[in-house]
Amino acid sequence: MLNFRFERAALEDVEELAPVFDEYRSFYGQAADLEAAREFLTARLQHEESVVFMAVAGEGEDRRIYGLAQLYPSFSSITVQPVWILNDLFVTKEQRGQGLGSLLLEGVKGFAQGTGAKGLTLSTMTTNTGAQRLYEAHGYERDESFFTYHLYF
């Protein structure tokens, strides 16, 4: 049995993290593109535009990343407080059901609290009932009051 830990990703983790991020993108219907995944993560971390956390097991050459959570900073104008957008949460198929989603959710919650943020916000597909159950088990509440609109180009 693997012992997993929660770690914050740094630039030196991108090579190992990119395949997990690419698998996440593929899960949401995007064509696999490891180079795009690598470049995207590198840019976010270099420019400090996001904070990425990982579910990791092993040490040295046996170290592997099995999950990720990526947060983007935002703000609530109403409460005049920072808030974190939990934009990406993913556990590799081989490790689902092992508690890694909970490990990542608890870790990002602690991080957000430590920054003085109002809280965390996220979206998930209406058909992703497994993720919905996980989020609700961790105290996330589904918004029934607001509609979300997008204007994509």
Side-chain angles (χ1 to χ4, degrees):
M1 174 144 189
L2 297 172
N3 289 320
F4 297 101
R5 62 189 179 278
F6 177 80
E7 293 183 6
R8 185 171 177 169
L11 277 172
E12 58 266 17
D13 297 309
V14 168
E15 284 303 312
E16 190 178 356
L17 185 59
V20 178
F21 186 64
D22 196 42
E23 185 180 340
Y24 162 75
R25 294 181 64 255
S26 295
F27 178 82
Y28 279 103
Q30 299 300 305
D33 188 339
L34 187 56
E35 185 57 30
R38 186 180 298 111
E39 289 174 6
F40 185 87
L41 288 170
T42 298
R44 298 296 74 72
L45 293 172
Q46 278 181 336
H47 300 294
E48 298 181 356
E49 295 170 334
S50 74
V51 180
V52 181
F53 294 96
M54 309 171 296
V56 180
E59 299 288 339
E61 293 194 15
D62 294 329
R63 181 178 184 263
R64 282 211 47 215
I65 299 170
Y66 292 100
L68 65 87
Q70 183 163 214
L71 302 175
Y72 293 101
S74 190
F75 300 90
S76 169
S77 300
I78 303 302
T79 63
V80 294
Q81 293 176 281
V83 63
W84 288 97
I85 300 167
L86 176 52
N87 202 73
D88 311 311
L89 181 78
F90 183 73
V91 173
T92 60
K93 189 174 183 177
E94 65 190 284
Q95 291 300 329
R96 288 190 192 132
Q98 304 299 313
L100 288 161
S102 292
L103 173 75
L104 290 163
L105 286 176
E106 288 301 315
V108 298
K109 178 182 176 184
F111 169 80
Q113 288 173 322
T115 66
K118 172 185 177 175
L120 292 150
T121 185
L122 63 85
S123 298
T124 193
M125 292 175 60
T126 58
T127 57
N128 195 347
T129 57
Q132 292 167 31
R133 283 191 302 274
L134 176 66
Y135 299 139
E136 290 170 9
H138 283 269
Y140 286 77
E141 297 178 13
R142 184 172 24 206
D143 188 333
E144 303 287 348
S145 302
F146 291 89
F147 293 112
T148 300
Y149 293 85
H150 302 284
L151 178 62
Y152 292 126
F153 304 104

